[in-house]
Amino acid sequence: MLPFEFIVEGTPLSHQTQNRNRLRAWQQTVRDAAIKYISQNAQPVKCQLQITVVYYHNGITVRMDNDNMVKPIQDALIGLVYIDDRQITDTRVRKTDLNGTFRVKGMSSVLAEGFCKGTEFLHIKIVEAPDHTEILQ
């Protein structure tokens, strides 16, 4: 099942939103998007994981903290991609203006699909976590 990647169209919702119904709806949107890309008989993985979330947006800045953007996404994938979000030991989050200039080598068909839509989207990729015997610097 790994690596696993998918896109979610639209603008993410912050974990700190006061509207819990909107938050649940956003998490369901993320889960539904993941289901479209997951293998039919796939089971949640049990290993340590790295998640990468890139929000391709319109405009130079986004007024949302990275950690508040990624938490609802992680929660939405519990029981579908992994058993528990505590398995995520490494997180990479980026916000990138869609109108930028990009140099791309080996773009996945999933990421290409996001760009072809021409609207804001998130690209989410989950892989097995790197070796933790190496110190991050």
Side-chain angles (χ1 to χ4, degrees):
M1 175 173 170
L2 296 178
F4 175 65
E5 66 179 312
F6 65 104
I7 59 168
V8 184
E9 292 182 62
T11 305
L13 192 64
S14 171
H15 178 66
Q16 290 192 336
T17 184
Q18 300 301 313
N19 187 328
R20 292 293 141 196
N21 290 332
R22 281 188 65 213
L23 181 59
R24 280 190 291 281
W26 168 244
Q27 289 173 316
Q28 190 61 52
T29 297
V30 170
R31 191 173 184 88
D32 291 345
I35 288 170
K36 292 177 187 173
Y37 292 86
I38 206 160
S39 301
Q40 188 173 5
N41 296 322
Q43 296 295 313
V45 297
K46 299 177 182 178
C47 59
Q48 292 184 332
L49 301 168
Q50 173 179 291
I51 187 169
T52 301
V53 177
V54 182
Y55 173 31
Y56 292 97
H57 59 86
N58 280 308
I60 298 170
T61 61
V62 174
R63 296 190 63 203
M64 183 184 315
D65 293 344
N66 284 2
D67 57 332
N68 291 327
M69 179 174 61
V70 76
K71 182 62 176 152
I73 295 166
Q74 290 177 304
D75 290 347
L77 301 176
I78 294 171
L80 180 66
V81 178
Y82 39 79
I83 295 168
D84 193 285
D85 61 345
R86 285 179 282 188
Q87 292 169 246
I88 299 172
T89 60
D90 296 77
T91 305
R92 297 171 51 198
V93 182
R94 178 178 285 178
K95 297 174 280 198
T96 300
D97 185 356
L98 259 174
N99 302 303
T101 302
F102 304 100
R103 209 170 349 156
V104 180
K105 290 183 179 181
M107 178 185 292
S108 72
S109 60
V110 173
L111 182 55
E113 179 185 345
F115 279 112
C116 286
K117 291 181 183 292
T119 60
E120 293 189 342
F121 71 98
L122 290 103
H123 177 243
I124 299 159
K125 186 171 184 177
I126 299 167
V127 299
E128 194 166 341
D131 183 1
H132 280 217
T133 60
E134 294 182 27
I135 300 297
L136 290 179
Q137 296 186 41

